[in-house]
Each structure stands twice: as C-alpha cells, then as structure tokens.
C-alpha cells in the first residue's frame, strides 16, 4: 500500500516552515555579531547616545507601552482568528511566515542603520554640563550598562541623560561639572564621544 500524497508532503511542509521560522532570526543574529565584531576591531571611539530626559512621567505613562503591546496582541489574535475562518489555516500560516520574515528583515535594517549612524560623526563644539543625579544601570541586550547620568547642559533647556561605562562616572555627585565632546550622527541624534570631569574649585575664604 503506497503512502498518500498528503503524507509524503507533510515532512516537506514541516521542513519549509522550520526554515521560515529559524532562518530569518539566525540572519539577524549573524548581522548583529558581524557589526559588533567590526566595531571591536576598529579603533576604540565611543559614541554614546545623549537623549532628553522625559520629565513629569507618571506610573500610567510608564505602563502605557505595556497597554499598547497587550492591545496590539489582542487585535492581532482576533485578526488571525477571523482570517483563518475566512481563508483557511494554510494561507494564514503562509502570511504569518512572510510577516515574520519581514519583521526580521526590518530588525536587520534597523541594526545596520544604527551602526552606520555612528560612522562619520560630525563633531560639535565641547559643552559644559552639570550632574543632577545618577544611578547604576545593569547590562542588557542593548547596552553594556554602567552609570546613568542626568545632566543639565549649558545653553540647552531640556535635561539630558546618558549611560557611561566608566568607573569614574559612578563617583560623580550632584553638582559635579563635566566637559562633554558631542557629535551629530550621520542620520540624526547626538552622541558623546569624550567626557572629562572638571577639577573641583576650592572654596573662597
């Protein structure tokens, strides 16, 4: 008794689905490793993002991304259920696999854009800054961690924050004056390429 065509096609479908599931994120991980390896081979020149600090935040503001995420997942689940009733599971599975591949491709493009943005930086004039506060920042998938500093830059209205992986930064106290060398990214954003603490001034007697 010969096997049915559906039985013969099942392993091929499973193998193709596995490729669609694991090949895109594997390519994303390979690109991330390649960019990190290239950055480590180059001369050490830090380019740390300097960003405005969101002031006046509340607990509801902090939880808003979580609410949005849950809402998007709920809408997505309802949409998938409706699509399966209308078009069938096979077609919906193909659409989801294509969407998964496009999502990984978008992540790869974002990684490449972030890497290129730190290339060919356009230097800005040095600026003085005052430390308003600091806290330790543990390492994560997106950062090596260090000390998060809240700064007020001379001539800049918005309070800024930056994460420095420098042991000296952990000892800086509120009121400490530092000098920052900044640069514009290729596509946008402001980055700090060098920092130095100003010597403490002796009190007038």
């Amino acid at each position: 008794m010969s096997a049915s065509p559906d039985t013969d096609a099942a392993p091929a479908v499973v193998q193709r689905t596995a490729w669609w599931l694991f090949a895109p994120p594997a390519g994303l991980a390979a690109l991330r490793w390649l960019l990190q390896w290239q950055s480590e081979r180059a001369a050490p020149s830090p380019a740390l993002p300097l960003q405005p600090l969101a002031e006046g935040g509340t607990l509801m503001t902090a939880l808003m991304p979580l609410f949005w995420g849950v809402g998007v997942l709920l809408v997505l689940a309802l949409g998938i259920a409706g699509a399966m009733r209308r078009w069938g599971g096979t077609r919906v599975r193909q659409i989801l696999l294509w969407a998964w591949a496009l999502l990984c491709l978008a992540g790869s493009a974002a990684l490449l854009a972030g890497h290129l943005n730190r290339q060919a930086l356009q230097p800005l004039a040095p600026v003085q800054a005052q430390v308003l506060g600091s806290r330790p920042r543990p390492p994560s998938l997106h950062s090596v961690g260090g000390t998060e500093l809240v700064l007020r830059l001379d001539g800049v209205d918005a309070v800024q924050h930056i994460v420095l992986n420098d042991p000296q930064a952990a000892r800086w106290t509120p009121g400490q004056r530092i000098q920052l060398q900044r640069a514009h990214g290729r596509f946008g954003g402001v980055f700090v390429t060098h920092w130095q603490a100003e010597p403490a001034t002796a009190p007038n007697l």
Side-chain angles (χ1 to χ4, degrees):
M1 184 175 64
S2 61
S4 64
D6 293 341
T7 304
D8 295 337
V13 172
V14 172
Q15 185 177 8
R16 185 165 58 250
T17 301
W19 273 102
W20 277 96
L21 286 176
F22 296 107
L28 176 62
L31 177 61
R32 182 175 183 178
W33 176 86
L34 179 61
L35 295 178
Q36 184 177 0
W37 173 76
Q38 184 179 5
S39 299
E40 292 175 352
R41 286 191 61 194
S45 55
L48 306 177
L50 181 67
Q51 300 173 332
L53 180 67
E55 297 182 350
T58 62
L59 179 60
M60 185 61 64
T61 304
L63 294 178
M64 190 59 65
L66 177 61
F67 294 151
W68 276 106
V70 172
V72 169
L73 289 178
L74 181 59
V75 172
L76 183 60
L78 293 176
I80 292 174
M84 290 184 67
R85 287 194 298 268
R86 182 174 182 180
W87 297 318
T90 301
R91 188 173 181 182
V92 172
R93 182 173 64 249
Q94 293 175 350
I95 294 175
L96 291 177
L97 290 176
W98 273 102
W100 171 245
L102 291 176
L103 181 63
C104 292
L105 182 62
S108 299
L111 277 178
L112 185 59
H115 177 77
L116 295 177
N117 192 38
R118 288 173 166 82
Q119 309 300 316
L121 295 174
Q122 303 174 9
L124 298 172
V127 65
Q128 300 287 326
Q130 182 182 20
V131 176
L132 300 181
S134 65
R135 64 174 181 177
R137 174 67 69 86
S140 65
L141 293 176
H142 307 287
S143 173
V144 296
T147 302
E148 182 179 7
L149 298 173
V150 179
L151 305 173
R152 183 177 300 280
L153 277 61
D154 294 350
V156 179
D157 295 334
V159 176
Q160 309 286 314
H161 74 107
I162 186 174
V163 178
L164 296 183
N165 185 22
D166 186 347
Q168 294 185 358
R171 298 193 293 267
W172 294 345
T173 58
Q176 172 76 52
R177 300 284 298 180
I178 60 177
Q179 183 178 25
L180 301 177
Q181 179 62 58
R182 301 174 300 162
H184 270 305
R186 174 179 292 184
F187 306 127
V190 177
F191 299 88
V192 172
T193 58
H194 183 73
W195 55 89
Q196 182 179 359
E198 294 294 322
T201 57
N204 296 326
L205 299 178

